[in-house]
């Protein structure tokens, strides 16, 4: 059961927190003037903290047009734009207005969640979608108290029990990438991934490791590098693994953007892809067709992930129960031009 619809605030709980009687709380809510100002301030603070909505507020919110907040940690990647397209396309069909904003990566946890949830509730938001964000249980509880369902796409940390997340089969995708390279004959395969704290990156890493271990292939020291899913991390990661005494003949990059950074560094060193080095990305963005050579990549259904998140938020806002709180959509390995058997 989704906790966003099970946390109820009563007049009695507000009264207990404020240290007053239930009739006093009722007077404050109804705007009566026969309440001391200090008492009124305590009650209002308790109302805000517990996220209490009067019946009139709930009726107004339920009759308003559907407004959903969408928060990215940046909109400068093909990954983000594909998810945005999926959400906005469905929003147009469902007559939903999407309010878009961005937040500096890693700064979401320090946001004042009580003020944030109150601001969204007071402005009539029906739900909140967070993309590649790290959220805390306290933040999610604050939104639950204001009856604002939250759905996280590709969360950086596992969401607390009872909250909804949308992702892809990252473990299976990582395994498929490594199996493809092994099938071509590669045995020295490095991994240049995302942040160590990112659940999706760890799942891709573990899938890669599972494939190598199943074939009895050891992973030398220095073959696993973490980064930030960006091009610069790909450059740095490739520079590290390609400088090893026994460098890899293939690299599995944790994102398409990271793979482009690997490709940049390979070119700088005069290493040909795929003749000297095979390369696999992850995401399946339009970058795979734009790169030279075209990039073999594990494709995520990014637009469908966006649509699934919006559908989930709208269902929760309507009081429906979801069949599953964690949705994983299937990934698909798409072989293009950046992989080949290792040089003899």
């Amino acid at each position: 059961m989704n906790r966003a619809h099970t946390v109820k605030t009563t007049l009695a709980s507000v009264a207990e927190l404020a240290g007053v009687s239930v009739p006093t709380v009722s007077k404050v809510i109804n705007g009566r003037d026969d309440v001391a100002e200090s008492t009124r301030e305590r009650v209002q603070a308790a109302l805000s903290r517990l996220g209490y909505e009067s019946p009139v507020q709930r009726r107004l919110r339920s009759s308003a047009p559907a407004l959903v907040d969408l928060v990215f940690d940046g909109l400068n990647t093909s990954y983000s734009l594909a998810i945005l397209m999926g959400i906005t396309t469905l929003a147009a069909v469902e007559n939903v207005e999407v309010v878009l904003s961005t937040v500096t990566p890693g700064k979401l946890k320090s946001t004042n969640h009580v003020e944030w949830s109150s601001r969204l509730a007071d402005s009539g938001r029906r739900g909140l979608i967070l993309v590649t964000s790290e959220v805390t249980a306290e933040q999610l509880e604050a939104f639950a108290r204001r009856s604002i369902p939250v759905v996280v796409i590709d969360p950086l940390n596992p969401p607390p029990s009872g909250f909804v997340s949308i992702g892809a089969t990252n473990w299976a995708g990582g395994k498929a990438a490594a199996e493809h390279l092994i099938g071509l004959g590669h045995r020295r395969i490095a991994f240049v991934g995302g942040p160590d704290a990112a659940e999706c990156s760890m799942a891709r890493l573990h899938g890669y490791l599972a494939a190598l271990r199943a074939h009895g292939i050891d992973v030398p020291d220095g073959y696993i590098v973490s980064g930030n899913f960006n091009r610069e991390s790909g450059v740095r990661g490739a520079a590290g693994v390609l400088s090893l005494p026994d460098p890899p003949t293939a690299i599995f990059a944790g994102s398409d953007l990271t793979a482009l950074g690997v490709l940049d560094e390979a070119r700088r060193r005069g290493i040909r892809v795929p003749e000297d080095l095979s390369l696999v990305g992850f995401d399946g963005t339009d970058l795979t067709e734009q790169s030279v050579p075209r990039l073999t990549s594990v494709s995520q259904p990014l637009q469908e992930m966006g649509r699934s998140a919006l559908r989930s938020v709208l269902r929760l806002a309507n009081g429906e129960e979801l069949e599953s709180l964690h949705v994983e959509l299937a990934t698909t390995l798409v072989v293009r031009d950046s992989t080949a058997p290792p040089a003899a």
Side-chain angles (χ1 to χ4, degrees), residues 92-114:
V93 173
E94 298 290 343
N95 195 29
V96 174
E97 295 184 15
V98 178
V99 180
L100 176 64
S101 60
T102 60
V103 65
T104 303
K107 297 298 184 182
L108 193 64
K109 288 197 300 181
S110 61
T111 303
N112 186 315
H113 45 277
V114 174

Side-chain angles (χ1 to χ4, degrees), residues 253-284:
S255 75
D256 291 342
L257 201 54
T258 301
L260 292 190
V262 172
L263 193 58
D264 291 341
E265 181 62 16
R267 285 191 181 128
R268 191 184 72 81
R269 292 169 175 255
I271 297 173
R272 301 169 301 167
V273 175
E275 292 86 354
D276 306 318
L277 177 72
S278 282
L279 178 61
V280 178
F282 201 108
D283 284 334

Side-chain angles (χ1 to χ4, degrees), residues 18-286:
V20 300
S21 66
V22 171
T24 299
V25 174
S26 181
K27 288 180 181 180
V28 172
I29 290 174
N30 289 297
R32 296 267 295 272
D33 57 9
D34 54 341
V35 179
E37 188 60 31
S38 60
T39 301
R40 184 184 306 278
E41 289 176 357
R42 288 207 316 276
V43 172
Q44 289 174 336
L47 289 167
S48 177
R49 180 175 174 183
L50 294 178
Y52 176 81
E53 285 185 312
S54 70
V56 172
Q57 287 174 313
R58 287 194 291 271
R59 284 197 298 272
L60 287 173
R61 187 165 61 84
S62 63
S63 62
L67 286 169
V68 174
D69 257 40
L70 171 61
V71 179
F72 284 90
D73 64 356
L75 270 175
N76 57 344
T77 66
S78 295
Y79 167 93
S80 299
L81 293 175
I83 287 179
L84 177 62
M85 182 174 293
I87 291 173
T88 54
T89 300
L90 180 61
V93 173
E94 298 290 343
N95 195 29
V96 174
E97 295 184 15
V98 178
V99 180
L100 176 64
S101 60
T102 60
V103 65
T104 303
K107 297 298 184 182
L108 193 64
K109 288 197 300 181
S110 61
T111 303
N112 186 315
H113 45 277
V114 174
E115 291 182 1
W116 186 15
S117 59
S118 297
R119 185 170 65 253
L120 294 189
D122 293 344
S123 58
R125 302 296 199 266
R126 300 296 302 279
L128 171 65
I129 300 173
L130 303 173
V131 185
T132 61
S133 299
E134 185 174 3
V135 292
T136 66
E138 291 77 17
Q139 285 176 323
L140 293 174
E141 289 287 357
F143 287 105
R145 284 193 294 270
R146 298 308 301 262
S147 297
I148 298 177
V150 178
V151 174
V152 187
I153 297 176
D154 264 354
L156 294 185
N157 61 321
S161 175
F163 291 92
V164 181
S165 63
I166 308 292
T169 52
N170 290 294
W171 186 91
K175 186 172 184 291
E179 289 280 4
H180 169 64
L181 294 169
I182 294 167
L184 290 172
H186 293 278
R187 294 298 180 268
R188 304 200 309 272
I189 306 169
F191 176 75
V192 179
D196 289 333
E199 186 180 22
C200 58
S201 185
M202 290 299 99
R204 294 167 197 176
L205 169 61
H206 293 153
Y208 148 89
L209 290 173
L212 267 60
R213 287 167 182 159
H215 290 270
I217 300 173
D218 293 328
V219 180
D221 291 341
Y223 265 42
I224 297 175
V225 182
S226 59
N228 290 306
F229 286 142
N230 57 30
R231 196 163 187 154
E232 293 75 18
S233 292
V235 171
R236 289 193 300 270
V241 298
L242 294 175
S243 297
L244 293 170
D246 196 15
T249 62
I251 294 177
F252 169 35
S255 75
D256 291 342
L257 201 54
T258 301
L260 292 190
V262 172
L263 193 58
D264 291 341
E265 181 62 16
R267 285 191 181 128
R268 191 184 72 81
R269 292 169 175 255
I271 297 173
R272 301 169 301 167
V273 175
E275 292 86 354
D276 306 318
L277 177 72
S278 282
L279 178 61
V280 178
F282 201 108
D283 284 334
T285 61
D286 54 7

